[in-house]
Each structure stands twice: as C-alpha cells, then as structure tokens.
Amino acid sequence: MSTDEIMDQSQILQVARGYICGRCRQRLHPNTTNVAEIQCSACERIASTRTNYKGNSSSNNKADVRFRSIVSQVVQSFKTTFLGSRHHRPDSNSEKPESLNCNPSPLESSSSTSRSDHRPRKRALLIGVTYKNWKHKLKGTVNDVRNMRSFLIDNLHFPPQNILVLTEDETKPDLTPTKKNIEISLNWLVEDCRDGDSLVFYYSGHGLRQPDFDSDERDGFDETICPVDFLKEGMIIDNYINSTIVQPLPKGVTLHAIVDACHSGTILDLIHVYNREKRKWEDNSPPNGNRKHTDGGFAISITACEDSQLAADTSAFKEKGMNGALTYVLIEIVKKYPGPTYGDLLDLIHETIEDINNSGCQFSRFLRSKFNNMLLQKPQLSASETFDVYSKHFIL
C-alpha cells in the first residue's frame, strides 16, 4: 500500500461519520481510500461502501457537510419546539398524567425477585424534579424524563421494566423525587450489577454548589442536585453520588450519567475531565487523596455545563413544550446521527448550542437578555479513566 493510500486520523474521522452498521449501529472505520467493503467489528456484518464512499476530498467534504447539516437540523427542530410547535404541546393540568413506570415498578420487582440469568442487563434511573410548590419551579423536567425514557426504549433498546422513573407526577409515594427516594433509587441502580451491564443515571432539575469542607474539591466547592424536599431535607452532594454509584462499579460494568442541571460539571466527582479546547484530559482527582475511582468498572458523565455555570432552562416559555437544552439537543443528535464517538457528540452538542445562542430566535433572545449576552453553558465530559474520545463510541 502506498503512502498516498493511507489517510491520516482526521480524514478517517471525517469519512467515518457517514458509516454506521445497519445491524448493531456501531460506527465503522474505513482505513484506506480504495476500500469497497467494511466489516463491523462488533457483529461482523459486511457493508458495501460503493454507494457513498469515494475515498477522495469530495467524500471528506460531504462528511463535513453532513456534520454541519446535523447541527442545522437540530437547531431548526429546537426553534420549532420552543416556538410552540403543535407537536410539542404543554402538559394539561386537567388530565391525570400516566405513570412512566411499569406495574409493578422496578423497585417493587427488584425487591421481590432476584436476577435469574447472567445475560448483560440494561438498567436506568431517570429523575425529573419540577418543584411544583416552590416559586422557582421548573416546567420542562417531566418532558425531559419522558423524552429520555422514550429514547432509551425506542432507540437504545432498554427494557421498560428496567427503567425506574421518579417525578412529582407519579402517584406512589416511593416514586416521588424526595431525598430519601433518590438515595434508595441510586442504590437500586447499581444493585447486583455484573460484567456486561449498562447503567444510566439521568437527572433533570435544579443543581447548586456549596463550600467543600472535606478538601477533596479542586475548586473548593461541592456540586449538588436538589430533591423536591431539599429545603427541608437538604441536597445530595457529589461525594454521596460518587460513593453510591461510581465506587461500587465492578469490572465490566459501564455507567453513563447525563445530568441536565446548573453547576453539574463534575457532579459525579470523576477523576478525569475532558478539555475540549485543548483536546486533552485534565486531572480532577481529589487534592486530599480520597478515593473516587470505580472498583474496576467504567463511569462516564455528560453534563449540561461547567461547575461554575448555569444551564439553559426553557421554562422561560409559558404554555409551550419545554425541555432542558442539553437533553433535547443530545437526544436529537443521536437520533439523527446514531453511534457517534464521544468527541463527535460533544462537538455537535457545543456547535448546536452555540448556533442556537447566535440564531436570534425567541429562546436565544431571552437568554441573552437575562444573562448579559454570555454563552450560558459549555457541556462537559468526564470519566473514571481516560480514552480516545474520537475513537470510542457513545453506546449505551
């Protein structure tokens, strides 16, 4: 093979954006410019590249055009949603919301039956807090949870009976997002997890920060999530989340956390944070040497913003369909562009939010006026161990 036939890594990445296995949705990586077929390393399906892979600068340009096209599509969809599309209607107070949990709920079925087989399992905990009885209530969090649940079931094949949902719309007391229930549910998420399991923790609600009294935070603050009763019972801090769902992870288990809240950058206290501008991982390990790593498993977190930032909340729009910006954009991107690498996904999220911020639509005008024209959020990627973000795929 001649030198001219070998593509550098950036070219491979650009071309590979157009190839997803039709069977298992794994990203395919052609290595040369004259390849006619690609074999999926995951399911061994062989796919032809003749229809859309030319192996020249034209194909690279097409890949970049498609990359930008995805951003444009998501931006347009975002505008349509928050300008009151008929397909995104507000929740009606006159209708009793249907439960998003199976009957019996995952908590009830987990306590009454033991795991009967050794097959890899997909399990998810989805939490949306609206704070209905508080003046700073949020109106999009239940929509966030509903959309995330549908996304996990329809696109990522999570069994509905393995998805536990906590919202204030749930009628059973143990399914409301109180501090006690959230703590019980976090333990449920990692209970009896085994090699091959894929776990998801999703949270949409208020996030705050407080002074760090343990000297284990590099910025001097603990990040927190706010249960519905946090004014009475207190917040749940990142140290607790880390010790409950990160540290127990055994070898072969993968945890993905998606947190759409303010000050959520290092909410799992993972020891590596990816710097997108510098294209490298940075150390986030505790200065005092406290343990924050897993027990051999892998944890990764995608959060709405840096620890010091606010996250865009679409509850500014009354009587419209509302969603958190990160949740909506991430789901739309992966639906339109299945199997991205983590690097591509992070780039697409950033570019989409930047385009929305600069688009001049009603949503961006409100945010600019409220936050002095500053870009509200820079979504963050953190992990329990470093990896090549442009070769590892976002697969749950």
Side-chain angles (χ1 to χ4, degrees):
M1 182 184 300
S2 67
T3 304
D4 292 339
E5 292 177 314
I6 301 176
M7 303 176 68
D8 63 31
Q9 184 63 37
S10 62
Q11 289 174 312
I12 292 174
L13 175 62
Q14 288 178 335
V15 176
R17 283 171 177 158
Y19 296 94
I20 302 295
C21 177
R23 177 184 296 166
C24 69
R25 313 309 296 170
Q26 175 81 6
R27 178 83 71 81
L28 306 179
H29 289 280
N31 293 320
T32 66
T33 60
N34 60 356
V35 63
E37 295 179 331
I38 309 172
Q39 184 173 27
C40 177
S41 60
C43 69
E44 299 185 348
R45 178 180 182 269
I46 297 177
S48 172
T49 66
R50 289 303 187 191
T51 57
N52 61 354
Y53 179 61
K54 304 299 182 182
N56 53 30
S57 59
S58 174
S59 64
N60 293 337
N61 292 335
K62 288 180 180 179
D64 282 338
V65 169
R66 184 183 179 194
F67 196 74
R68 289 301 307 164
S69 174
I70 294 167
V71 173
S72 299
Q73 291 174 39
V74 177
V75 170
Q76 185 57 46
S77 180
F78 193 90
K79 289 181 185 179
T80 302
T81 298
F82 298 122
L83 289 178
S85 167
R86 62 184 179 181
H87 299 295
H88 295 81
R89 295 177 179 175
D91 295 332
S92 173
N93 294 327
S94 62
E95 297 180 3
K96 183 178 179 180
E98 293 184 3
S99 174
L100 296 177
N101 288 286
C102 292
N103 189 16
S105 75
L107 275 179
E108 295 169 323
S109 59
S110 175
S111 61
S112 60
T113 60
S114 60
R115 184 170 175 176
S116 59
D117 60 62
H118 297 277
R119 290 177 296 177
R121 172 188 58 187
K122 293 187 174 186
R123 174 181 274 197
L125 168 61
L126 313 181
I127 302 171
V129 194
T130 57
Y131 314 93
K132 289 181 178 179
N133 299 319
W134 191 38
K135 64 179 180 179
H136 300 296
K137 62 184 177 181
L138 300 173
K139 297 183 179 180
T141 55
V142 174
N143 283 343
D144 286 341
V145 167
R146 185 179 293 112
N147 292 342
M148 182 60 68
R149 181 178 183 272
S150 297
F151 173 64
L152 292 177
I153 294 171
D154 298 338
N155 297 85
L156 301 177
H157 311 296
F158 274 64
Q161 66 271 19
N162 287 357
I163 300 177
L164 175 61
V165 175
L166 303 185
T167 72
E168 288 150 89
D169 284 351
E170 296 293 328
T171 57
K172 294 183 178 180
D174 61 341
L175 297 178
T176 58
T178 63
K179 183 177 182 180
K180 178 182 178 181
N181 288 345
I182 291 176
E183 291 176 347
I184 291 172
S185 299
L186 288 170
N187 281 281
W188 166 86
L189 180 63
V190 298
E191 180 184 41
D192 193 31
C193 58
R194 300 175 184 173
D195 186 9
D197 285 358
S198 175
L199 312 178
V200 171
F201 167 58
Y202 173 79
Y203 172 84
S204 177
H206 280 307
L208 295 172
R209 59 200 317 224
Q210 64 184 34
D212 166 37
F213 298 106
D214 300 323
S215 300
D216 63 351
E217 296 283 350
R218 290 179 174 267
D219 61 358
F221 290 93
D222 282 315
E223 284 64 51
T224 71
I225 60 174
C226 301
V228 66
D229 57 351
F230 80 99
L231 292 175
K232 178 181 179 181
E233 300 297 334
M235 299 176 286
I236 297 177
I237 68 172
D238 49 10
N239 295 341
Y240 178 86
I241 297 173
N242 179 277
S243 64
T244 304
I245 64 173
V246 174
Q247 293 183 31
L249 292 177
K251 183 178 180 180
V253 176
T254 300
L255 167 71
H256 282 84
I258 301 171
V259 180
D260 202 342
C262 297
H263 309 297
S264 56
T266 60
I267 190 63
L268 262 65
D269 266 357
L270 300 179
I271 60 177
H272 302 285
V273 177
Y274 186 71
N275 187 317
R276 180 172 172 265
E277 285 73 26
K278 296 181 179 179
R279 300 297 196 209
K280 69 175 185 178
W281 290 96
E282 295 182 340
D283 184 21
N284 187 50
S285 56
N288 64 359
N290 281 359
R291 181 191 174 211
K292 295 288 185 178
H293 54 78
T294 70
D295 194 24
F298 180 58
I300 190 165
S301 173
I302 299 174
T303 53
C305 58
E306 296 177 357
D307 288 338
S308 61
Q309 290 182 318
L310 302 177
D313 171 27
T314 60
S315 64
F317 295 96
K318 295 182 179 179
E319 300 181 354
K320 304 293 183 184
M322 304 171 196
N323 298 85
L326 172 69
T327 303
Y328 185 87
V329 170
L330 184 149
I331 290 175
E332 288 297 305
I333 287 171
V334 179
K335 282 182 177 180
K336 291 177 169 60
Y337 177 38
T341 65
Y342 289 93
D344 285 348
L345 179 59
L346 190 63
D347 287 342
L348 282 166
I349 292 173
H350 273 258
E351 290 182 30
T352 303
I353 290 178
E354 288 171 4
D355 279 12
I356 292 169
N357 193 52
N358 295 326
S359 66
C361 69
Q362 179 182 355
F363 177 63
S364 66
R365 288 198 301 271
F366 169 82
L367 296 179
R368 288 182 178 187
S369 64
K370 190 172 181 64
F371 297 99
N372 300 320
N373 291 314
M374 295 176 62
L375 179 63
L376 287 183
Q377 58 191 101
K378 294 182 179 180
Q380 299 294 294
L381 175 68
S382 58
S384 58
E385 59 188 67
T386 62
F387 59 91
D388 182 352
V389 299
Y390 288 104
S391 64
K392 189 176 182 65
H393 301 277
F394 178 74
I395 298 176
L396 306 184

